[in-house]
Amino acid sequence: LSTHCWNCSAGTFTEQGASVCLNCSAGSYSAAIAEVCLDCAPGLFQPLEGKTTCSGCDTGTFSEGGASFCRDCRPGNYSWGP
């Protein structure tokens, strides 16, 4: 019998009544005690599962929301990094 509910650590989430915490997927992140993972904002990315933050795309690359990687800008276009 369980006498205590444990908090999920940062980088993980769980829904009500769950028995385990799950890693956030690539392209998302969470703080501790999360019910959902948040997508990385446009211009940010996260290539790994179970993370707490997203990183900025480098100069010459870009991303849309929820990205696990940054794409190169097309010829004739540019971007500047974080």
Side-chain angles (χ1 to χ4, degrees):
L1 297 170
S2 183
T3 61
H4 184 78
C5 291
W6 301 95
N7 293 333
C8 289
S9 61
T12 66
F13 75 102
T14 190
E15 297 175 351
Q16 184 174 354
S19 60
V20 296
C21 298
L22 303 172
N23 281 340
C24 292
S25 62
S28 67
Y29 68 99
S30 76
I33 316 172
E35 294 179 16
V36 297
C37 296
L38 303 173
D39 284 346
C40 295
L44 301 175
F45 74 105
Q46 179 48 261
L48 304 174
E49 294 183 354
K51 296 301 177 180
T52 61
T53 61
C54 298
S55 300
C57 293
D58 290 332
T59 299
T61 66
F62 75 100
S63 73
E64 298 175 355
S68 60
F69 62 93
C70 297
R71 299 181 194 176
D72 290 336
C73 292
R74 293 179 186 220
N77 295 275
Y78 73 97
S79 71
W80 55 93

